[in-house]
Amino acid sequence: MTIAPDLIAVKARQQVTWASGDYGAIAALIHPISELLVTAADLPAGARVLDVATGSGNAAIAAARCGCVVTGVDYVPELLERGQARAAAERLPVTFVAGDAERLAYADGSFDAVLSVVGVMFAPDQERAAAELVRVCRPGGTVALASWTPQGFIGDLFRTVGRHVPPPAGLRPPVEWGDEGRVRELLGAAVGELQAVRREFVFRFGTPEEFADFFRVNYGPTLKAFEALPEERRPDLHADLVELARTHNRATDATVRIPAEYLEVVAQRTADPA
């Protein structure tokens, strides 16, 4: 018999995980994903935009550069503070608000566009989070997402870590959001036209060991996996991360060049949720 996971407990652990390390350092690397998504969404100046699970504000800041009226929502206060500091440094008027992707505190149809870049994909209740994205987007508006794919590098990273520290039983993998069929299923009948494109972001490091060390220190899920292991087993996880980087390395020199596939989705909301 399959036991349903305690989603409230899972979410509480996730908040602690994403507040650990320095996700802002990871986000700084992958900011181009947000710029490409905002370009694909073709957001007009003045559009009301919500960036869900904004983290340190990548997509929110990218949308603000287009002259949009932007709100970024996340459940990790430390990341919101980082986003606010970044927006202030660029003199971009972004509003950052504490909130839950599964319970967005906005009326139906409040936004012209709803975005999420490798953020909402980690919500433990995928169906509820997807329903919220659609609900707060006005009919005719845009839902735009970027999510790591199951078969890409980050999917392999999660599987590597999961062999050492298994994820909660019964929880659907976040990388399902990187599968076009699953995204269509999640967004449902309220979304009409949907365009999905597989893209690659390239991680670059000096050595495989540098990659492993960087993710161990900065990326919450990896950091917490190391902390969960007994001291004597941590070198095994580190060695597997080094090998993962070697396996995915496409550099032709002595450095590391790792293509990480993600799915870019731009959909139009055409009706009320079923």
Side-chain angles (χ1 to χ4, degrees), residues 147-250:
S147 308
W148 303 118
T149 64
Q151 63 273 20
F153 172 70
I154 299 298
D156 276 354
L157 171 66
F158 291 150
R159 283 186 288 273
T160 298
V161 172
R163 288 196 295 270
H164 293 265
V165 181
L171 200 65
R172 299 193 71 147
V175 289
E176 287 191 355
W177 285 81
D179 177 82
E180 181 179 347
R182 176 60 174 159
V183 172
R184 289 182 181 275
E185 177 185 323
L186 285 168
L187 296 180
V191 165
E193 180 183 355
L194 185 151
Q195 297 180 337
V197 179
R198 290 188 178 189
R199 297 191 184 276
E200 286 184 345
F201 173 79
V202 178
F203 288 100
R204 300 176 189 274
F205 294 93
T207 65
E209 290 78 11
E210 182 183 326
F211 155 78
D213 292 340
F214 184 85
F215 269 73
R216 175 176 184 168
V217 171
N218 295 297
Y219 194 51
T222 318
L223 182 153
K224 287 299 182 184
F226 274 99
E227 289 182 353
L229 290 172
E231 188 71 35
E232 66 272 14
R233 290 178 54 194
R234 293 176 186 177
D236 294 335
L237 175 54
H238 188 271
D240 281 354
L241 292 177
V242 170
E243 183 58 29
L244 177 72
R246 288 193 178 120
T247 300
H248 284 267
N249 186 19
R250 298 295 178 268

